[in-house]
Amino acid sequence: MKLAVIDSNSILNRAFYGIRILTNSKGQYTNGIFGFFNILQRLLEDLAPDRLAFAFDLSGPTFRHLQYEGYKATRKGMPQELASQLGPLKELIRLLGYQVVEAPGYEADDILGTLSRLAREAGEECVLITGDRDSYQLIGDGVQVCLAATRMGKAEYTLLDEAAIREQYGVAPRQMIEVKALMGDTSDNIPGVAGIGEKTALALIRQFGSLQGVYDHLEDAAIKPGVRAKLAAGRESAALSRSLAEICLEAPIDNDLDAYLPRPMDRAGAAALLGELELYTLMDRLGLKLEEGIPLAESPAAAFTARFGGSLTGEQLAAWGPGDRVDLFCHWEEGKPAQASLFWEGAEYRVGEEGLLRRLAGLPVKKRMLATKPFYRWCLEEGIPWQQVEFDGSLAAYLLSPSASDYDFERLCGQYKIPEAADGPEPLPAARLSLLCDRLEEEILAHDQEELLHRIEQPLAQVLAEMEEAGFLVDTGAIRAFGGELDRDLEQLEARIYEEAGERFNINSPKQLGVILFEKLHLPAKKKTKSGYSTSAEVLEGLAGRHPIVQDILDYRTKAKLKSTYVEGLLKVADQSGRVHSSFQQTETRTGRISSTEPNLQNIPVRSELGSNLRRFFIAPEGMVLVDADYSQIELRVLAHLSGDENMISAFLSGEDIHTKTAAQVFHMPQEFVTPLMRSRAKAVNFGIVYGIGAFSLSKNIGVTVAEASDYIEKYLDTYPGVRRYMAETVENAKKLGYVRTMFGRCRYLPELGATNRITRAFGERVAMNTPIQGSAADIIKIAMVRVARRLEREGLRARLILQVHDELIVESPKAEEEAVRRLLKEEMEAACALKAPLVADVGAGESWYDAK
């Protein structure tokens, strides 16, 4: 038999700091619990214990505090974000059938010690799972320590036995008590002997065996005079420290090892708690279903039963009209409806024939679905005329919980307490979907987000489907030729790098590159870690100019990425006609921005000439032209509007260059005397303020001292006092409410604002300042997309919207329609929203994306 004892406070602490802040939709912190079970699951799989005990510290003094008033006195209190997770964690452990073990007046370490003694006496194996080295003294006679941690969100551990301790420290595990008696422990405020560190303490214990042995041989010549004096002065402190360091093996807990055999899991209770915490991934790992934790009495479907009406018939479809409402559930596989069912007037129906689904798409009935974009895309590809869906559950859920990892049907049913559908012979998802949509509609109404959903997000889903289906033509021949040029450049760079290094090595290996740069070429390195030297772009850019190899490596990386990501990537996804069909993600970002994948056309590099040249390969078909329009400084205009700052609004209304005018005001000089450098710095502050930039980051961006950067920011805020006031009020309101809103009611919840950690809280404040600006700008571009697409359709033009990149729209237009499209784009984009600093759209055209800019 094997007993595993978990030092739960230690593991929870490491999990909490190893994973970014996570909360459920109600603001309950969950990252520590999630990370705790990440670690635990891997260890249970690898170690396969028969018995488990979860040891916890209790608040209040222990016997060690009675011995020494200063014990742990220097420790900061547990942050509230972590403390609030202790109760749910203990409850979850009990619901999963495990034993929570606590002992008033004793620490978790003492519980580990007592259970390890009991296992040793019973001749059983014992593994102590902890994040601290305190338990090393317990190793031996079948007892091992598993040192666990979370790094970059992943669980890691090291298993240590007696041989490992002897190899690492040169002493036996029990002698670690003696070592700590001499060196002390700053984390627990155990004093030790002043001036004696770990190296000296280990040497003394190796030589004399114990603390008593050291003092028995205090006059030996082997002990240096300086060390002898420190030991003599610290004799009483050493004795006290030894007592504090020794783990108690007699804590008052249940001594029956069978008490730690796992009990049957309370599936309903565990599912209910995990559902409340919204830890759905953890629920999946434990093999739990959301509906197991939903008591029928608490469900909105308590009195609901759905009857099975069989398969949908054409006669039923023919009888439906505008007054009917159906809830349509579709499961999509490779863009095709693999499973469909609908709910209508208390009954579920299977939609078995694709022909019936095609007819249903065009019926003028009120339809509610979970996700409409794949439905619209299918209709477009199949040439099916459709009537717009009335309600999209996924988009509603996204608006209500923008930080969720996904909007899967089962996840949403658990979150909104929708149980399995009722008693019919063949329960289908559509009845649950109906209840879910009811709940989501209620929540959207309660959060005042109807306009955001119905005016912006749902119409946009249709536009994005049209853009995906249209795609963007690329010049595959030119891309291949560009790839050949990159290959030749990479070969030359590779040869030059090898020559500069004096040997061949793997340029793509950070470890090998680190050895070349910092050991062979002796370039100044940042701190070395276990994995080697950092060779990140930031590190290399800081070394530019110190050796020719550095710039060559940066160039090599740039061209290698262009080759793999864009040349090979675009050729891979281009269809037979040479068009690439990016997938636009509507529910990915917390600010409301659209993202794109496969390929990501929003990430085409434009800062370097080499990268921006990629836009030459995106072309218009023969006889057509690309019309490109982008908003001029939309986020600054939104800031001017939201802040009401008269100076900034006046700057925009005057039609002058905002960055030059800002520089003139900040530096107190006429605009004609503003230098390009001054304008550049004013521009950096203008855009930096939008993102809540601090003096340190600004100093790095514009190459000045932190003091100079701080002075620029202060002068800027003096120039625009309305901006200063708006930023302060926004953060203050966000702290009170727990969220910020855009002009159109989009919310972003910010649990970070309540964090005790200064860095986390500062991040929350920056996001609070930025989100209303960036999110409002994202909403405006979405409104513009819908207006442009629908007007193109309304005016019967062949031109079509094919791409959106942040503040930029691209329309593929017949040359004969170019002037009409130019005018239309400018009019619709500028009329998307009335701001105090009016929107301005700059329009260009060309036969390639590059030429159109």
Side-chain angles (χ1 to χ4, degrees), residues 372-439:
T372 54
K373 184 162 70 75
F375 172 73
Y376 293 140
R377 180 76 186 268
W378 172 67
C379 289
L380 284 165
E381 290 175 349
E382 298 294 323
I384 303 167
W386 75 80
Q387 293 286 328
Q388 186 167 327
V389 176
E390 180 185 56
F391 185 80
D392 186 315
S394 294
L395 292 177
Y398 167 59
L399 296 182
L400 293 167
S401 301
S403 299
S405 57
D406 65 60
Y407 303 93
D408 174 78
F409 178 60
E410 291 296 335
R411 301 278 192 274
L412 294 176
C413 284
Q415 182 177 344
Y416 291 97
K417 299 190 183 305
I418 309 298
E420 283 281 12
D423 307 325
E426 187 178 350
L428 299 169
R432 298 178 77 199
L433 174 65
S434 179
L435 293 168
L436 177 60
C437 288
D438 288 345
R439 284 296 312 279

Side-chain angles (χ1 to χ4, degrees), residues 369-378 380 386 388-389 391-396 452-469 584-587 594 782-783 785-786 789-790:
M369 297 182 69
L370 187 63
T372 54
K373 184 162 70 75
F375 172 73
Y376 293 140
R377 180 76 186 268
W378 172 67
L380 284 165
W386 75 80
Q388 186 167 327
V389 176
F391 185 80
D392 186 315
S394 294
L395 292 177
L452 179 60
L453 177 65
H454 294 290
R455 181 190 168 198
I456 300 178
E457 293 295 351
Q458 289 187 171
L460 182 68
Q462 184 175 331
V463 174
L464 293 177
E466 292 167 353
M467 289 166 57
E468 288 180 1
E469 196 272 338
F584 296 100
Q585 308 303 314
Q586 200 172 349
T587 60
I594 299 166
K782 288 179 174 181
I783 293 169
M785 292 170 71
V786 174
R790 296 293 73 90

